[in-house]
Amino acid sequence: MITRLYGAHPLHLMLVLGCLAGAGYAALQVGVNPLWWLMLIWFSAAVLLHDLVLFPVYAASDRVLVGVLGRMVNYVRVPLMGCALTFALFFPGIVRQGDAVVLGNTGLDQEPYLARWLMLCAAMFAVSGVVLVLTGAARAIRSRRAARHPRRTAPAPDGARAG
Amino acid sequence: MSARHGTATPTAPDTGTSDRSGEPDYGFPAPLWRALERARPPGLGRTRAWRSPIRGPWLTSVFGAVLLVGLPIVTVTGFLDYAAYGPQFGQAFPADVGWLRPPPFDWPTRPAWLFQLTQGLHVVLGLVLVPVVLAKLWSVVPKLFAWPPARSAAQALERLSLLAMVGGILFEIVTGVLNIQYDYVFGFDFYAAHYWGAWVFVAGFVAHTVLKLPVMLRSLRSRSLGAELRTPLADTRPEPADPADPDTLVALDPGPPTVSRRGALTLVGGGSLLVAGLTAGQTVEALRPAALLLPRGRDYGDGPNDFQVNRTAAAAGITPELAGPTWRLRLTGVDGSTPDAGPPAVGVALDAGVGAPMVFDAAALATLPQHTARLPLACVEGWSTTQTWTGVRLRDLAALVGVPEPTSALVRSIEREGAFNRAVLTRGQVLDPDSLLALVVNGARLSLAHGAPARVIAPAVPGVHCTKWVGSIEFRR
């Protein structure tokens, strides 16, 4: 009966209610903190920014990249994702946010990070470029060989879709 | 329909999807859920806009399996770091945690690298899993825009528990990433936020794991990992869609593949490796230069005192005069302190049998028996450095004031402000033969930045409790 009304086994109900009670208890404990509302804003913003800003932006950019670059897309997509990931994780140093605290804590400034990050990005794109050239050369060699030995060229399998 | 509902088991609650005829099941009241389904806003639901040909339950389950192993390690090491701060002395943050506290125990001193390991794992593994978390969220994102959002109360509640899990993990990543780089832009108390955010995440994670583990195992068995790792782009096909699942992850009209499944897994794994390479150097000395985007990858120089500082003398308000010839160390032995007395009261009456307070200057300390130990200095922010320290054993100092077997010790810095200008050490931390009031590091006198003239260094003790610029130690009987 409960299963029919509720839509799942009663144990499902107990598990999910237990989980929500636990999360709710934790949230209530934060309530004693005068800045609980700011934490709530950051909690909600983390979800909303990821789901409704970050995801649409990266999905749309990726679609544009694929449209423009076609089969070459991964040679740009991969290093670009590396740059985006390292920026997302290490941006405080790169944009020099919180430099007074860093100086007070470590005795060091945040001066080198932007240049280092740019170098890292440049290196990732350079590696990608080298790989592109090497795979292109390998393909050229293969097709030249195939032209010399026509019997070794197999037709593309039916239904194989080019990316 | 109702008969099929009855077959749902608690471990496989594919709620609302058991009808093979294609008509989904609805909970009570069915007309309401059906009406909700009909009121579909444009763009939501399983539309043709979702085109990735590799999105599907198998790929999602691979990411899920990695996180199922990794995230509990990050969570447990996080709570261990809380325990290492000594909640029994009221010096773990947040101090008052009600029922949601790790079991109380005295943090051990052995192995000496224990805290280095727990905090290093917590921070490095936490960062390494970020690409996997993002990939997992990408792989299930059509569910977020599915319509209807629920077909029963069960599904609605389950989605709420997902909010706890996803919100929790994103909140933990954001606050953690900012904290290890000293970027306090969020403005609230990091410890409280990160601690309670963790419990919200754990609650959602437990429910999701129990509910989805059977689906994950079934999906993992649906394809061979080995075969996928041999499948190139040209042979990459979408996973077969489950006709019984109206919210399946498999695209309705998949576009041509631009990356194979092995390519996607390599990309995510490569992202994790990249992050590992850029962060492990915060803790592994040999990799230090590779941590080139983090504050703890910086080189201080080649001198004996040239290693990572976590609070400069300037920030602590310590001048060379304060730490100079007028500096004195005051040792006392006091009675009657219970382990959970919280921040200790000063001026507890001395027992008749306990020796009088003793005062030392730096020269007098240097005449006491010296001991050398190679110990890591490890910070909860995910970095550590191992150095060779020389000084007086804490247990020798305890014996000097007539408390050779203290229950705990309160160490105070001459630093006036600051959350960590005092620390309570456990009995084990005082009595360990390598626990020192260090005067010398790597053969040279401590620099002002590292706590001159004397600082505490003890095995497996969190860095913030290795008090610098020590002014007094109170050994409690």
Side-chain angles (χ1 to χ4, degrees):
Chain A
M1 185 63 184
I2 290 180
T3 302
R4 193 174 143 211
L5 293 179
Y6 171 62
H9 194 278
L11 284 177
H12 179 283
L13 179 62
M14 287 165 64
L15 175 72
V16 177
L17 284 184
C19 143
L20 293 176
Y25 179 80
L28 278 182
Q29 298 292 308
V30 180
V32 302
N33 193 296
L35 287 177
W36 64 269
W37 54 273
L38 192 56
M39 298 183 196
L40 184 65
I41 288 175
W42 274 70
F43 187 95
S44 319
V47 183
L48 294 177
L49 280 180
H50 174 270
D51 292 349
L52 301 180
V53 178
L54 187 62
F55 167 71
V57 165
Y58 79 66
S61 318
D62 189 67
R63 216 160 267 192
V64 169
L65 267 187
V66 171
V68 171
L69 296 165
R71 297 176 62 92
M72 298 293 181
V73 68
N74 288 332
Y75 296 101
V76 174
R77 178 150 70 175
V78 173
L80 201 56
M81 287 169 91
C83 299
L85 176 68
T86 47
F87 183 81
L89 289 180
F90 307 118
F91 74 91
I94 296 169
V95 305
R96 299 171 82 159
Q97 188 163 275
D99 52 351
V101 185
V102 174
L103 188 66
N105 280 11
T106 69
L108 299 170
D109 58 22
Q110 294 177 303
E111 192 271 328
Y113 301 119
L114 173 62
R116 287 177 178 188
W117 178 69
L118 290 173
M119 290 293 284
L120 183 69
C121 291
M124 287 191 281
F125 274 101
V127 169
S128 184
V130 169
V131 172
L132 173 63
V133 168
L134 289 181
T135 47
R139 196 174 294 136
I141 291 170
R142 259 202 312 274
S143 60
R144 199 175 304 159
R145 246 185 235 157
R148 246 180 271 152
H149 309 278
R151 62 190 168 78
R152 283 176 59 187
T153 50
D158 227 9
R161 303 207 227 178
Chain B
M1 233 191 273
S2 58
R4 286 198 184 86
H5 267 306
T7 63
T9 64
T11 49
D14 274 347
T15 47
T17 62
S18 61
D19 195 318
R20 299 273 149 183
S21 70
E23 158 81 349
D25 289 348
Y26 298 94
F28 178 83
L32 179 102
W33 298 113
R34 225 177 257 124
L36 180 67
E37 177 149 16
R38 278 197 298 273
R40 181 168 72 93
L44 295 190
R46 193 170 168 238
T47 70
R48 288 173 196 279
W50 302 104
R51 295 183 32 159
S52 170
I54 60 169
R55 205 181 252 133
W58 181 83
L59 191 65
T60 292
S61 297
V62 174
F63 296 139
V66 173
L67 295 177
L68 184 57
V69 174
L71 287 179
I73 298 176
V74 178
T75 307
V76 168
T77 49
F79 285 123
L80 285 176
D81 287 350
Y82 179 85
Y85 264 48
Q88 70 270 41
F89 300 121
Q91 56 186 7
F93 303 110
D96 184 13
V97 293
W99 293 335
L100 291 179
R101 77 177 88 217
F105 65 97
D106 271 7
W107 186 250
T109 56
R110 298 290 155 174
W113 40 263
L114 182 64
F115 187 70
Q116 187 178 28
L117 177 76
T118 57
Q119 57 83 19
L121 262 182
H122 179 70
V123 173
V124 176
L125 189 58
L127 290 171
V128 161
L129 288 177
V130 168
V132 189
V133 170
L134 293 177
K136 175 74 159 65
L137 291 176
W138 168 83
S139 79
V140 295
V141 78
K143 299 244 185 204
L144 181 73
F145 299 97
W147 197 267
R151 292 185 179 83
S152 64
Q155 287 185 347
L157 281 178
E158 200 175 322
R159 297 207 84 166
L160 210 52
S161 75
L162 286 177
L163 177 66
M165 180 180 70
V166 177
I169 193 67
L170 291 175
F171 184 74
E172 293 301 273
I173 289 173
V174 169
T175 50
V177 158
L178 290 173
N179 183 67
I180 62 163
Q181 293 169 94
Y182 309 101
D183 184 354
Y184 301 118
V185 62
F186 40 77
F188 46 72
D189 172 10
F190 165 76
Y191 286 105
H194 206 63
Y195 188 85
W196 294 117
W199 279 111
V200 172
F201 163 73
V202 166
F205 183 74
V206 167
H208 188 64
T209 302
V210 173
L211 293 176
K212 290 298 187 185
L213 190 64
V215 180
M216 186 190 88
L217 295 175
R218 200 164 60 234
S219 304
L220 284 177
R221 278 195 297 265
S222 72
R223 304 177 86 80
S224 148
L225 179 64
E228 288 302 333
L229 294 182
R230 288 189 299 273
T231 305
L233 178 62
D235 299 331
T236 299
R237 305 281 178 279
E239 294 181 40
D242 179 2
D245 183 0
D247 301 320
T248 179
L249 291 169
V250 179
L252 205 55
D253 178 24
T258 57
V259 65
S260 60
R261 278 185 201 87
R262 73 172 175 189
L265 293 179
T266 308
L267 187 62
V268 176
S272 287
L273 269 181
L274 175 68
V275 176
L278 289 172
T279 51
Q282 293 227 106
T283 269
V284 183
E285 206 68 55
L287 302 176
R288 182 88 55 194
L292 43 89
L293 297 176
L294 281 168
R296 299 319 181 164
R298 299 283 291 276
D299 188 12
Y300 283 76
D302 298 325
N305 273 285
D306 289 340
F307 55 93
Q308 284 65 31
V309 177
N310 201 36
R311 187 163 170 82
T312 56
I318 304 292
T319 60
E321 293 71 44
L322 284 172
T326 59
W327 174 87
R328 295 290 182 275
L329 170 73
R330 185 182 158 88
L331 300 179
T332 51
V334 300
D335 233 9
S337 214
T338 52
D340 51 357
V346 187
V348 177
L350 290 180
D351 184 84
V354 177
M358 299 183 73
V359 176
F360 291 85
D361 60 15
L365 270 181
T367 62
L368 296 175
Q370 305 287 308
H371 177 74
T372 297
R374 189 158 173 79
L375 292 175
L377 180 64
C379 178
V380 79
E381 281 149 6
W383 62 271
S384 52
T385 178
T386 302
Q387 306 294 336
T388 303
W389 312 86
T390 302
V392 187
R393 281 181 168 133
L394 291 180
R395 66 181 191 190
D396 292 351
L397 296 176
L400 278 179
V401 288
V403 192
E405 299 277 325
T407 55
S408 63
L410 168 67
V411 182
R412 285 176 209 262
S413 174
I414 56 172
E415 179 188 352
R416 287 172 185 275
E417 318 261 314
F420 297 105
N421 63 359
R422 57 160 65 190
V424 180
L425 301 176
T426 66
R427 170 189 176 83
Q429 287 165 347
V430 175
L431 293 182
D432 190 284
D434 280 348
S435 294
L436 304 177
L437 183 67
L439 311 170
V440 165
V441 64
N442 301 319
R445 302 192 72 82
L446 284 173
S447 69
L448 196 58
H450 286 302
R455 75 168 301 164
V456 168
I457 184 79
V461 170
V464 286
H465 291 161
C466 294
T467 310
K468 299 201 279 192
W469 313 292
V470 172
S472 72
I473 307 178
E474 180 183 289
F475 295 99
R476 296 132 156 210
R477 198 148 65 165

